[in-house]
Amino acid sequence: MPLSLFNLLGVLLLVSFNLSSAWPLPRGCKANLLNGGSSPSSSSSPPSTTPPPSSKTNTTAPPPPPPPPCFPALNFQMPSSVPDSLDNWWCPADSEYGFVGFSYEITLCQSATQLKQDFADIRNTFNARYVRLYGACDKSGFYDDIVDAAWDNGLGVHALIWFGFTGSDQWETRRDSLITSLTTNYKAKFVTRVVQFGSEPLYDNVLPHSELASQVTSLKSSLAGVQIPVTVSELAYGYQERGGAQDVLDAVDSINIHMLPFFSALATTGAAAWPLVQTDMDWFIQHGGGKKMYFDENGWPSVTSSSVQPNSPAAQASVSSEQEYYQMLDSHCEDLKVAPGGGIGWFAHIYSDSQEPGYGIYNTSGKKKFKFQPRTSC
């Protein structure tokens, strides 16, 4: 039967609709089919409209690799043999702030076994990186035992030439003995971070400050071959009462500070000691020429004794005040971090009450007096 004009138009429209519904494929379906896949079912989610990745080369530089572990960082693994040189051995100054370790009194001339046991505890229990020697042991070869214990436990050492309190010249023998050990023991330069003249030679007036400055310069020359720096372990007041002793501050490689605010005439409690700490700290910042600083003989006593008496009637010696002093320092980690020279590292004075009564983290029975886990970074 012939198609009417109306029926002919309907056929044409139907053909046109079927053709348009079959082509072109949506972008996602086309790509899928061209890659050997199948068209998604009618229940699939709508195809992605994300544009294809740019063909431009990514010019963003990859982040630099982390620095290699350095001594005596907490993640550092001691090598199986002594390296050939000190190149890239020591950690940079700006990583040594906050808690760094303990003062450790050696008058008892601890055995090699005891040293290794204590140094292992210092490292593993408290995350310390250094021991700072205090007092003196004149037994032949004792510093070599210190070196071995430090090496075995990944600890650095702040060595000390002890003047003592008798006014004798025995410190010269100690100096010469230490020089011999540092320059002949092949491990010594890898664990000895600095040698200190001390303790408090300016405050005790054991040498005129000009002579002390000369001693520092001479020792630096003697240790130049093993690259071990030299300093003086001293109070701010010790410098101040000798007219500032700027010649000594100019001579030292780092500034090792006695921070003992309990003896201030303004002392009250360990928790409230920050203004006293800050006063001495600011004096060293002003006069120290931007050098690295450590609070090495640093703490607050839990008891008084014949040699530990306050100069303030409000100063409280107690276990809680000792604990609060270290908590206060820890709370100022960020302030210590931004100090000149790479920040200020601090030691706890001292490891045990058996070494110096009242200042230890351990009591004489070997028990912790309080929880002690200060930050090593912030």
Side-chain angles (χ1 to χ4, degrees), residues 100-103 130-132 158 294-296 298 345-349:
V100 294
F102 291 95
S103 288
Y130 288 99
V131 289
R132 177 253 179 179
H158 285 219
Y294 298 92
F295 297 163
D296 56 9
N298 166 63
W346 60 268
F347 291 81
H349 186 76

Side-chain angles (χ1 to χ4, degrees), residues 86-126:
L86 286 165
D87 293 347
N88 301 314
W89 176 256
W90 291 103
C91 289
D94 62 5
S95 70
E96 295 185 355
Y97 63 89
F99 173 67
V100 294
F102 291 95
S103 288
Y104 185 87
E105 210 268 353
I106 56 174
T107 303
L108 295 176
C109 291
Q110 290 91 332
S111 67
T113 299
Q114 187 66 52
L115 289 171
K116 289 182 180 182
Q117 178 180 316
D118 289 346
F119 285 13
D121 182 59
I122 286 170
R123 178 71 167 187
N124 299 324
T125 302
F126 300 103

Side-chain angles (χ1 to χ4, degrees), residues 315-361:
Q316 299 178 22
S318 65
V319 171
S320 61
S321 207
E322 180 185 4
Q323 179 182 19
E324 289 165 357
Y325 177 75
Y326 291 125
Q327 290 173 334
M328 177 275 297
L329 278 184
D330 193 39
S331 73
H332 284 278
C333 178
E334 289 79 7
D335 297 308
L336 300 175
K337 180 179 181 178
V338 298
I344 298 174
W346 60 268
F347 291 81
H349 186 76
I350 199 163
Y351 178 60
S352 171
D353 277 356
S354 63
Q355 298 178 351
E356 187 172 357
Y359 280 98
I361 300 302

Side-chain angles (χ1 to χ4, degrees), residues 96 158 194-197 202 216 229-236 239 244-246 248-259 280-297 340-341 343-347:
E96 295 185 355
H158 285 219
V194 66
V195 173
Q196 307 170 87
F197 279 104
L202 292 172
V216 170
V230 180
T231 187
V232 170
S233 182
E234 185 60 75
L235 292 157
Y239 284 98
Q246 190 63 46
V248 177
L249 280 174
D250 291 342
V252 297
D253 291 309
S254 62
I255 302 175
N256 285 43
I257 301 164
H258 287 204
M259 190 60 71
D280 283 0
M281 180 180 74
D282 288 347
W283 188 88
F284 281 107
I285 290 173
Q286 182 180 355
H287 295 88
K291 294 179 179 179
K292 179 66 180 178
M293 293 182 282
Y294 298 92
F295 297 163
D296 56 9
E297 192 163 328
I344 298 174
W346 60 268
F347 291 81

